[in-house]
């Protein structure tokens, strides 16, 4: 059962004309004084609510926040549980904690800022407040642990689709985990799992999208490699709209992936690949290799052609352009 504040907000959101306090009071079965108190509380949470004389209340502004109140009504799929934080060390850490406690698939941890955002390979994910998307999603896929890295490809594809839907810009994918606009990174994905050798307990898919960060918000050493959607589109991007689009695309692509594996998604992934035909160096724990990218295999492995035309499959590694 939703709270009186949530019901007042829902009523004002759907209204096309001012709504009188009396009408809301009757609908909710509480006094007008109580309505007034809830409206004040909503204002304190950042909602702009005009009280128009002899007409009623009008919602004129909502806070730019990715909590259940703002993001919840925009979610389109079955994943709806939001664990929101104004600030947190890392949404990944929190998602692991919730998952260990039994949180179901689709539970999402979202923060407005992170003090210890985690990137791949032990790096730091720069997480300034109120401008970007920091999301960790708990999944419980019935998969073998070896297949789990493919989920990072699925997530990247979903983020690319969401960016295209929300901004109209083409998003490209840099194997395995990065989403680029132009030649710069706008999103990083960190997939972590808790598993036994043969059984996955849970996966946490961490998604960081630079949405409205300004150039100055990036550390100087990142400015030539990273950008935000707002910088590239030239105007602010609706964060809740983008978050909802990411989750809708990911829920759909995840279902397709569980039903039929990565292979049906491969063509869509490759159509957005930033690396096809380019010469790259891949550094992995086992060593480095340079070659020309010849697409992906059905299991998401990168196909690298050597100078003699021989194809090498790369399952994991860090890619840099060799030229
Ligand atoms: C990368 O290195 O490219 C991956 C970055 C992943 C960052 C996201 S932000 C939300 C989630 N919480 C974290 O601490 N990291 C991931």
């Amino acid at each position: 059962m939703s709270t009186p504040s949530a019901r007042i907000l829902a009523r004002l959101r759907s209204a096309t004309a001012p709504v009188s306090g009396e009408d809301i009071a009757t609908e909710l079965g509480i006094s007008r004084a109580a309505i007034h108190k809830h409206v004040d509380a909503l204002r304190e949470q950042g909602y702009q609510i005009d009280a128009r004389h002899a007409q009623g209340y009008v919602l004129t502004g909502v806070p730019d926040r990715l909590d259940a109140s703002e993001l919840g009504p925009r979610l389109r799929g079955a994943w709806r549980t939001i664990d929101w934080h104004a600030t947190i060390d890392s949404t990944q850490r929190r998602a692991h904690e919730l998952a260990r406690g039994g949180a179901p698939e689709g539970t999402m941890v979202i923060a407005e800022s992170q003090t210890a955002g985690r990137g791949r390979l032990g790096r730091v994910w720069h997480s300034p407040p109120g401008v970007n998307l920091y999301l960790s999603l708990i999944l419980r896929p019935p998969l073998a642990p070896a297949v789990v890295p493919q989920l990072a490809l699925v997530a990247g594809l979903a983020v690319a689709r969401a960016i295209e839907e929300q901004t109209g810009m083409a998003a490209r994918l840099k194997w395995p985990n990065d989403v680029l606009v132009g030649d710069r990174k706008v999103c990083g994905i960190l997939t972590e799992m808790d598993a036994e050798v043969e059984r996955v307990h849970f996966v946490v898919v961490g998604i960081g999208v630079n949405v409205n960060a300004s150039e100055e918000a990036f550390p100087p050493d990142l400015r030539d490699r990273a950008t935000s959607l707002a910088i590239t589109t030239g105007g602010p991007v609706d964060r809740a709209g983008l978050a909802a689009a990411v989750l809708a695309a990911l829920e759909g692509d995840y279902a397709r992936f569980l039903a039929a594996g990565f292979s049906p998604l491969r063509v869509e992934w490759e159509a957005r690949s930033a690396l096809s035909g380019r010469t790259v160096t891949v550094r992995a724990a086992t060593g480095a290799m340079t070659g020309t990218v010849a697409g992906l295999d059905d299991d998401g492995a990168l196909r690298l052609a050597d100078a003699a035309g021989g194809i090498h499959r790369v399952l994991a590694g860090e890619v840099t352009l060799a030229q």
Side-chain angles (χ1 to χ4, degrees):
M1 186 65 184
S2 53
T3 62
S5 288
R7 293 178 67 193
I8 293 169
L9 199 52
R11 181 72 175 80
L12 295 180
R13 273 193 221 274
S14 62
T16 51
V19 191
S20 76
E22 199 174 329
D23 283 356
I24 306 177
T26 310
E27 283 164 29
L28 268 63
I30 57 179
S31 70
R32 283 189 65 178
I35 298 292
H36 191 79
K37 255 178 44 194
H38 288 300
V39 166
D40 274 348
L42 285 166
R43 286 182 177 132
E44 264 165 42
Q45 291 165 34
Y47 291 93
Q48 287 159 26
I49 301 173
D50 281 5
R52 299 203 180 146
H53 181 65
Q55 295 183 60
Y57 295 112
V58 179
L59 182 66
T60 56
V62 297
D64 178 12
R65 208 162 46 210
L66 301 177
D67 57 3
S69 172
E70 278 313 295
L71 178 57
R74 310 200 45 185
L75 294 174
R76 308 173 205 165
W79 296 342
R80 277 166 187 272
T81 307
I82 303 172
D83 180 68
W84 176 86
H85 303 265
T87 184
I88 198 167
D89 50 354
S90 160
T91 57
Q92 290 294 101
R93 203 256 328 130
R94 172 69 177 153
H96 278 267
E97 178 177 271
L98 290 176
R100 278 194 301 272
E105 173 155 285
T107 302
M108 53 195 109
V109 182
I110 297 181
E112 300 297 330
S113 80
Q114 299 183 113
T115 53
R118 308 209 290 241
R120 286 180 71 220
L121 308 169
R123 296 186 188 123
V124 167
W125 187 255
H126 184 64
S127 311
V131 287
N132 293 331
L133 173 61
Y134 314 116
L135 161 73
S136 294
L137 178 73
I138 298 171
L139 297 177
R140 297 186 179 275
L143 297 172
V147 181
V148 167
Q150 295 174 30
L151 276 172
L153 303 174
V154 176
L157 178 61
V159 172
R161 276 191 220 287
I163 289 173
E164 288 163 6
E165 178 196 300
Q166 292 292 301
T167 68
M169 288 187 303
R172 301 195 305 152
L173 296 162
K174 176 171 173 263
W175 188 92
N177 306 69
D178 294 348
V179 184
L180 316 180
V181 172
D183 277 335
R184 296 191 189 182
K185 177 163 169 172
V186 291
C187 167
I189 292 165
L190 175 66
T191 310
E192 298 175 323
M193 83 175 142
D194 186 294
E196 295 162 38
V197 172
E198 289 180 355
R199 190 169 70 98
V200 174
H201 299 151
F202 61 83
V203 174
V204 175
V205 179
I207 299 176
V209 186
N210 301 327
V211 185
N212 286 324
S214 63
E215 191 87 40
E216 302 75 54
F218 290 93
D221 59 312
L222 283 185
R223 285 181 196 164
D224 59 339
R225 283 177 288 136
T227 191
S228 74
L229 298 178
I231 294 169
T232 40
T233 56
V237 170
D238 172 12
R239 283 195 310 146
L242 180 80
V246 166
L247 287 156
L250 184 48
E251 198 171 330
D253 284 347
Y254 177 62
R256 289 166 70 199
F257 174 67
L258 288 188
F262 182 65
S263 142
L265 301 171
R266 186 179 59 81
V267 177
E268 293 162 58
W269 203 102
E270 282 185 334
R272 294 174 173 83
S273 173
L275 299 178
S276 291
R278 304 198 55 182
T279 304
V280 300
T281 298
V282 187
R283 288 182 182 80
T286 45
M289 190 191 159
T290 296
T292 306
V293 174
L296 301 188
D297 270 342
D298 274 349
D299 63 354
L302 186 72
R303 290 163 58 82
L304 215 52
D306 64 25
I311 296 288
H312 302 257
R313 279 168 45 82
V314 184
L315 290 167
E318 181 77 346
V319 175
T320 46
L321 286 172
Q323 57 188 26

